[in-house]
Amino acid sequence: MTTAHTTTHNTTPQYPFTAVVGMDDLRLALLLNAVSPAVGGVLVRGEKGTAKSTAVRALSALMPAVDVIGGCRFACAPAAPDPGCPDGPHGTGAVEERPTRMVELPVGASEDRLVGALDIERALSEGVKAFEPGLLADAHRGILYVDEVNLLHDHLVDLLLDAAAMGASYVEREGVSVRHAARFLLVGTMNPEEGELRPQLLDRFGLTVEVAASREPDQRVEVVRRRLAYDADPAGFAARWAAEEDALRGRITAARELLPAVTLGDAALRQIAATCAAFEVDGMRADIVMARTATALAAWAGRTDVLEEDVRQAALLALPHRRRRNPFDAPGLDEDKLDQTLEEFGADEGTDGDDDPEPDGPDGGPDGGGPDGGGHPPQDGGPEESPLPPEAELPHQQDREAPQPPQAPEKTGQAEQPEPGSAPQGGAAGEKAAVGATEPFKTRRLDVPGLGEGADGRRSRARTAHGRTTGARRPHGALGKLHLSATVQAAAPHQRARGRSGRGLVVRRDDLREAVREGREGNLVLFVVDASGSMAARKRMSAVKGAVLSLLLDAYQRRDKIGLITFRGTGAELALPPTSSVEAGAARLEQLPTGGRTPLSEGLLRAHEVLRVERMRDASRRPLLVVVTDGRATGGPEPVVRAGRAARLLAAEGTASVVVDCEAGPVRLGLAGELARELQGTVITLDELRADSVSALVRTVQGNRKAA
């Protein structure tokens, strides 16, 4: 049980924090947490290759060293040891000084590796709490870094965020419990294209920042130049930045010392409360985080009073991921609304404008010495030299790189001949412009039949690490959740033969039984959407898009991976490869044009190929095929026959499928039902898809195999 993790103890110097080019919001958020760990950590959202991990790892070298009690595995402070420390009481142990640790949590870590493991065998037989500390104990009084936090299993995210909120970790196994302190700076990074965190988990991160690669050639050249210099000579590169690192380290220490003296007045508190109310954030955590952040900003700027500019900057860091929004809306903050709110609830008194060291800076920004790391502390005399070099200064918030809008997917397959109602409208022959979707609605749950063993989720029945206990079995490898009664029953018949003489139960490894649990898994939901001319009526396509959007929302809530295939004209296009980013699926759907013939067979064959590849990548994640069509098949030789063959190919591999019948009008051909029979799946109408529909609908996808 030795999952690898890294700390600051390595022979190669870290890339210097002050050498990071740009990334102003990220550097500011990290520095504020270094000044005041009570801010609650940072979630860094951004595209791949934007130096997220580099900046986080560089922070550890700036953190002050910590004093620990020698021999304590839980890094207890000599001045205030944890009274409940499993290694205590400590007495008068030797004091050691060590650098601040940065502990990395791997995506594939187990629960035992995160929180620690109890030796259940010794606990049952000897009554001894033999505890092996986990990563939370290693990170105490340091930094816990979680790369790709959105890819962690939900129960692991719950555990680490609970520990971050309570400052302690609890390990409980069948009545045996251990508690130890776990206070750390939590930093997570994620690529939104790979999926989002649940809103309640987003709320547990103090601050969030968006990062994107610069589009300025000069800045990109400087990034490459510095990185190449570091790779060629890490030690020499670090030495060239040593003075800047020392200056920044000293500034962090000075801000920490000043922090207790900072005053958060009633006027600033009123602005904080008004801002949180204006953006309709849930709960009170946002108010508390904003207050702590504004206080840290003032200390970072060398002030003892919190100004309006501190409140504004705190809102930009603490509220984007907390404001109430639809799941497919990108996080962000309306800065005009923010300025209006701050002006409306601005302080009439409590701060003296003559004491403001940066009256000429825009929005009180660091051009005149603001709080984002690039300015100078206020002085009655001349300005003090900043401890950061010019290239490491943090410019004003308004200079942030804005995320680039998603590009429309490349269109493939032009229409052969326009079908009725599909006249050209400024695009390719037979193509109609994209139309908007109707309002999404709550859909009925569509399940994959049988019992799976995929990743934890909320869709189909599966054997999981969490859920209701349905039985017991011998453990395969490390013991998971102990099934106590089954273990006792296995050990009881052998007590006399094992010479039991005391009160304890003589338990051996072969007696241990782990619980078999049943919960729900996430699936791969692959949408195959008909975008041909037969679907091109504006009102009809809007309803279809609304239905698919509703299914995407359902997939988001059930923690599924999703993929999107569209077919029209002469072929099919994989508009969105399987991903956890449901937002990307919604964006592709919004841009979807229609028109041309209906190559149904091409769409089904493309689905077969995608599922074949995904099965090799992740065999445990079961697929659910959702075909949205009216069932027509046109274009090419024998289109109906080829569509039937493609459907039977999918059915032969046991692919669970649902056909959403989009046929409209008083006369219906029932072609979608025929397709469902070939797929050995279920057909439902758009009306039956609604959760509040009065139509009877079997909740699970039962293949009509007997009827076939």
Side-chain angles (χ1 to χ4, degrees):
M1 197 160 56
T2 56
T3 303
H5 68 280
T6 61
T7 67
T8 55
H9 305 153
N10 51 54
T11 56
T12 303
Q14 293 282 1
Y15 190 93
F17 189 86
T18 50
V20 175
V21 179
M23 315 292 287
D24 308 319
D25 288 346
L26 172 57
R27 291 193 293 161
L28 173 59
L30 292 173
L31 290 171
L32 292 177
N33 274 274
V35 171
S36 176
V39 166
V42 186
L43 176 64
V44 187
R45 298 165 44 93
E47 58 197 26
K48 54 186 176 295
T50 49
K52 302 186 297 292
S53 299
T54 298
V56 174
R57 293 189 177 99
L59 177 69
S60 61
L62 297 174
M63 302 289 283
V66 295
D67 292 332
V68 299
I69 296 176
C72 178
R73 297 174 297 167
F74 301 87
C76 281
D82 178 14
C85 177
D87 284 354
H90 296 293
T92 56
V95 178
E96 300 177 358
E97 183 181 82
R98 74 178 189 197
T100 296
R101 285 179 175 174
M102 190 189 78
V103 177
E104 294 190 40
L105 174 61
V107 170
S110 65
E111 181 177 340
D112 284 347
R113 188 67 189 107
L114 177 62
V115 300
L118 282 169
D119 190 332
I120 298 296
E121 186 175 352
R122 292 187 63 190
L124 289 175
S125 60
E126 304 174 30
V128 176
K129 293 182 181 179
F131 180 67
E132 181 67 25
L135 296 179
L136 292 180
D138 291 345
H140 180 47
R141 303 178 66 200
I143 301 172
L144 181 60
Y145 172 49
V146 188
D147 195 14
E148 306 295 351
V149 64
N150 53 324
L151 301 183
L152 282 178
H153 288 304
D154 285 349
H155 71 282
L156 291 182
V157 179
D158 290 336
L159 288 172
L160 72 90
L161 291 180
D162 284 343
M166 296 185 296
S169 174
Y170 295 85
V171 184
E172 297 191 12
R173 296 288 172 83
E174 306 298 339
V176 181
S177 63
V178 172
R179 174 211 166 273
H180 64 83
R183 291 182 294 274
F184 46 81
L185 170 58
L186 178 63
V187 182
T189 61
M190 60 175 285
N191 183 351
E193 293 179 356
E194 296 173 338
E196 284 284 357
L197 281 174
R198 303 197 311 267
Q200 60 267 42
L201 300 185
L202 281 172
D203 185 52
R204 301 299 284 272
F205 283 94
L207 309 179
T208 185
V209 292
E210 297 277 344
V211 296
S214 172
R215 300 297 185 259
E216 292 294 330
D218 291 343
Q219 195 172 70
R220 295 175 74 97
V221 166
E222 187 61 24
V223 170
V224 175
R225 180 182 292 119
R226 293 187 186 183
R227 186 69 212 191
L228 293 177
Y230 172 77
D231 292 340
D233 182 10
F237 186 83
R240 290 195 292 275
W241 289 88
E244 287 80 1
E245 292 284 286
D246 289 340
L248 188 56
R249 190 177 295 111
R251 186 173 178 185
I252 292 173
T253 302
R256 281 188 167 192
E257 294 173 352
L258 181 62
L259 186 64
V262 176
T263 301
L264 182 64
D266 290 342
L269 277 172
R270 190 165 179 263
Q271 286 185 316
I272 290 171
T275 301
C276 291
F279 286 97
E280 299 181 325
V281 297
D282 295 325
M284 295 298 298
R285 185 175 284 116
D287 303 62
I288 296 171
V289 172
M290 272 191 66
R292 290 171 174 168
T293 305
T295 303
L297 282 161
W300 180 246
R303 289 186 267 99
T304 57
D305 55 340
V306 175
L307 305 180
E308 180 177 309
E309 66 209 39
D310 301 323
V311 176
R312 185 183 193 278
Q313 184 68 67
L316 292 172
L317 293 172
L319 296 189
H321 61 303
R322 291 188 169 92
R323 68 174 180 84
R324 188 170 297 177
R325 59 188 178 92
N326 293 324
F328 302 140
D329 293 342
L333 217 59
D334 185 341
E335 296 193 31
D336 291 336
K337 181 178 180 180
L338 173 60
D339 292 335
Q340 182 180 355
T341 303
L342 293 176
E343 182 179 355
E344 180 180 354
F345 292 90
D348 296 327
E349 56 184 17
T351 57
D352 187 353
D354 294 334
D355 294 332
D356 186 353
E358 55 274 355
D360 297 328
D363 295 320
D367 290 343
D372 67 350
H376 313 296
Q379 301 290 330
D380 293 334
E384 179 182 331
E385 184 178 355
S386 169
L388 292 180
E391 55 270 30
E393 295 280 344
L394 305 180
H396 189 258
Q397 183 75 18
Q398 68 186 9
D399 295 330
R400 300 193 313 267
E401 286 287 342
Q404 296 298 312
Q407 295 182 355
E410 183 180 354
K411 303 181 182 66
T412 61
Q414 300 299 327
E416 295 174 352
Q417 294 179 3
E419 295 188 5
S422 60
Q425 293 189 4
E431 180 179 301
K432 285 198 171 189
V435 298
T438 57
E439 284 296 317
F441 52 85
K442 183 176 178 59
T443 66
R444 293 179 180 269
R445 187 177 67 212
L446 305 173
D447 296 354
V448 177
L451 193 64
E453 295 184 349
D456 288 348
R458 298 173 185 166
R459 184 171 296 279
S460 305
R461 294 175 54 230
R463 295 186 183 93
T464 59
H466 300 82
R468 63 185 181 90
T469 301
T470 59
R473 66 182 178 187
R474 292 179 182 271
H476 303 292
L479 177 67
K481 297 288 186 180
L482 179 75
H483 196 296
L484 183 59
S485 61
T487 299
V488 172
Q489 289 175 6
H494 309 290
Q495 296 305 295
R496 181 175 296 179
R498 293 173 182 174
R500 174 186 173 187
S501 58
R503 299 176 58 186
L505 190 68
V506 181
V507 179
R508 297 190 177 162
R509 181 71 185 176
D510 290 343
D511 301 326
L512 298 179
R513 299 291 184 270
E514 66 180 5
V516 176
R517 298 172 181 264
E518 182 178 313
R520 293 201 173 267
E521 66 179 359
N523 298 110
L524 167 59
V525 183
L526 182 60
F527 295 95
V528 180
V529 180
D530 186 348
S532 65
S534 64
M535 303 278 288
R538 180 169 295 273
K539 185 176 180 181
R540 184 181 179 192
M541 196 61 199
S542 292
V544 169
K545 284 189 175 183
V548 178
L549 192 64
S550 303
L551 290 167
L552 285 171
L553 178 59
D554 182 68
Y556 166 82
Q557 294 168 340
R558 300 191 188 282
R559 313 298 290 169
D560 294 318
K561 289 182 68 174
I562 60 109
L564 177 63
I565 293 173
T566 63
F567 59 93
R568 64 186 179 89
T570 60
E573 173 192 7
L574 180 60
L576 183 69
T579 176
S580 296
S581 178
V582 182
E583 294 82 355
R588 299 295 193 276
L589 181 69
E590 187 69 23
Q591 300 160 358
L592 178 64
T594 59
R597 292 189 178 275
T598 312
L600 177 58
S601 60
E602 299 301 321
L604 297 177
L605 290 173
R606 190 63 183 272
H608 176 267
E609 177 63 18
V610 170
L611 294 179
R612 184 187 66 81
V613 173
E614 288 301 310
R615 195 175 294 114
M616 291 188 294
R617 291 177 177 171
D618 186 359
S620 64
R621 187 179 288 270
R622 297 187 295 164
L624 174 62
L625 182 67
V626 180
V627 184
V628 185
T629 182
D630 57 8
R632 294 174 182 267
T634 62
E638 298 183 320
V640 177
V641 174
R642 294 185 71 241
R645 289 174 182 167
R648 289 191 292 274
L649 180 63
L650 287 162
E653 295 186 347
T655 304
S657 58
V658 179
V659 178
V660 181
D661 186 0
C662 302
E663 192 173 24
V667 179
R668 303 198 177 209
L669 302 178
L671 299 177
E674 292 290 340
L675 175 62
R677 281 189 285 275
E678 296 283 10
L679 287 167
Q680 297 185 19
T682 298
V683 60
I684 59 177
T685 66
L686 289 176
D687 289 338
E688 290 172 334
L689 188 61
R690 294 179 178 271
D692 56 357
S693 172
V694 297
S695 302
L697 174 65
V698 179
R699 296 174 67 101
T700 57
V701 179
Q702 303 288 352
N704 295 327
R705 305 187 189 277
K706 294 182 180 180

